[in-house]
Structure formats: structure tokens, C-alpha cells
Amino acid sequence: MQYICYVLITYWALEDKGVFSVKSYYRSIRGEQTNVEGGFWKQLWGLKLPGKIINLVWRACRNVLPVASELIKKYVNIDLLCPQCHLRPETPVHVLFMCSFAKELWCKVGLQDVIQVDESATILQILGQAFRKCSREKQVMLSLLCWSIWYRRNVCVWDKKFLSMFGVQSMAMQLLQDWRRSQEELGTRMQRGSNENVTHLCRPPEGWVKVNVDAACRDQLGFIGMGCVARDHMGRFMRARCATMRGGMPPREAEAWSLRAALLWMDEGMEASKVYF
């Protein structure tokens, strides 16, 4: 009886719309979901931004960024201090908001007022509060600059280069402009395609064999690979083959070689069939 009452109470507390799900109940028990967090996730995933930027913010909020403090917990022998300022331990909050470079950047773009940073706060709490105060455009800028700051940190760690504040800000804006332009062009092409006669891939005629061929260049390993698969006019699998060749060549020549190899292979085993590439 106690268990039933607890489930009913949780159901009433979690589901305002009257739809109970095991997933939400499980996450509530683990303390992973609140109404505030749910609103933040909905806003984050609804931003018109490249997937890699939203994924970076999500990883930061889930506290899985490979910063020094987290790597040390996994027994990685690494210096705990921030590789950029060398003053404080490198934590997710420090990298994105408390490092001297990050602080200066947030002030430069005029977002220091919406970012309330506390030593004990998490990225999720900081961004959750900031998103509630911000317009949609500022939410985009927050996420974009978080990604840019993290990119600058990685360049510093791996390439030993320190990007300037102007370089980081301009890179972020250029990335956003390029992505928006590509989305507009994609939408235009799709709109044009809906009004034009588009040629779709179709099955080969009856009695023919359809062969798909592809090639891969592995210059570092010193060989070229090819693969092909044959299907009948109903799309049913018939046979497949892969092969490699030592050496290197441009991608276009590799594609030509793979096509030739597929032709020879089909000529050996399917003399009575017509081949359709």
C-alpha cells in the first residue's frame, strides 16, 4: 500500500498534463529532472544552431567535459591548474565562466549581467538562470560563445596557441553566419526541388543486376579499399565483395579503379546477367 501511494503522489507531482511515463518517474527518483530543467532542455534543443554547439552545451551541463578536474577523477596524470591562466583548478565552470579570458569575453559582448557565477554552482544552474533572463537571440549567443571558449581551450591545450579575444568572437560569428547561410540555401534547394521534376533512384529492369560500388583512400596506411554489393531487380541481396590495393591515388582515380574491379568481378560470376551500375 505504501508503494502504491508513493507512485500516485509522484504521478501527481510530475505529470501536470495527466500523462504518466516510466522514464520521467525514473529520472525523478534519480534527481535528474525538474520542471525548471525540463524547460531549459526544451529551449536548448530548440535553438537554431549547429548540432556540435548544442552538443557541447549539453555535455557541459551534464558535467562530462574532459577538463582536468574530471580527468584526475579517472586517474589521468595531468596538472589540475587551468592551462590558460594557471591560477585556478580547471573545472567546467572555471573554463567557461571564471577564467580571466572567459570573464573578459562575457563582459565584452555585454552578457555579464545575465551570467550569475557561483563557486558551488553547476553549468546547468548557471545556464538555466541565464536562459530564463535572455531573449532567444541572447540564448543563441550564450551557447555559441560557450562553444568558442571551449574551442579556444582545446587549441591552447593541444596546439599551444592562444587565440585572441577578437579572433574567438569573430570565429563564433562567422560560424553562425555560415551555418545560417547553408540552412537558407538548403531550404531554397528543397523548395525548388519540390517544384521541379526530380530524378529518383529506381530499380533496374527485370533480368538486370544492380551493383553499388564505393572506394576509400587510406593514404596514411598506404592502401586503397573498395566494396561493392549486387542486388537483383527486386532489391534482394545476391553477392558482395571487398578488395584492397597497395599504393595511393586521388579519390577520382580510386573510384575509377573500384569501378573497374567491380566490372571484372561481375564479368567473372554473372555472365548471363545484365549489370546496372
Side-chain angles (χ1 to χ4, degrees), residues 168-183:
V168 171
Q169 188 178 359
S170 61
M171 178 191 65
M173 298 308 300
Q174 187 63 44
L175 174 65
L176 181 60
Q177 292 175 7
D178 291 343
W179 183 80
R180 286 177 173 175
R181 190 181 302 113
S182 66
Q183 295 298 304

Side-chain angles (χ1 to χ4, degrees), residues 47-76:
L47 294 178
K48 301 298 183 181
L49 282 171
K52 64 180 180 180
I53 295 178
I54 297 179
N55 179 264
L56 182 278
V57 177
W58 174 80
R59 288 166 58 205
C61 292
R62 302 305 298 170
N63 201 31
V64 294
L65 290 181
V67 295
S69 61
E70 297 301 316
L71 293 175
I72 288 176
K73 293 178 183 178
K74 296 175 173 58
Y75 306 102
V76 178

Side-chain angles (χ1 to χ4, degrees), residues 67-70 72 79-83 85-95 98-99 119:
V67 295
S69 61
E70 297 301 316
I72 288 176
D79 187 2
L80 180 61
L81 291 179
C82 173
C85 67
H86 302 284
L87 297 176
R88 304 293 297 276
E90 188 190 44
T91 63
V93 174
H94 175 82
V95 171
M98 300 189 68
C99 186
E119 290 283 353

Side-chain angles (χ1 to χ4, degrees), residues 249-270:
M249 61 179 66
R252 181 170 295 184
E253 295 181 12
E255 294 284 353
W257 168 78
S258 64
L259 180 59
R260 178 180 180 275
L263 283 170
L264 293 175
W265 171 64
M266 294 301 298
D267 185 57
E268 293 172 358
M270 294 188 176

Side-chain angles (χ1 to χ4, degrees), residues 40-41 44-45 51-67 69-70 91-97 106 121-128 131 142-143 145-151:
F40 168 74
W41 294 126
L44 175 63
W45 293 107
K52 64 180 180 180
I53 295 178
I54 297 179
N55 179 264
L56 182 278
V57 177
W58 174 80
R59 288 166 58 205
C61 292
R62 302 305 298 170
N63 201 31
V64 294
L65 290 181
V67 295
S69 61
E70 297 301 316
T91 63
V93 174
H94 175 82
V95 171
L96 296 181
F97 300 108
W106 292 120
T122 64
I123 297 289
L124 179 59
Q125 292 170 341
I126 294 171
L127 289 181
F131 269 47
L142 272 169
S143 304
L145 290 178
C146 282
W147 178 86
S148 301
I149 292 171
W150 179 250
Y151 177 86

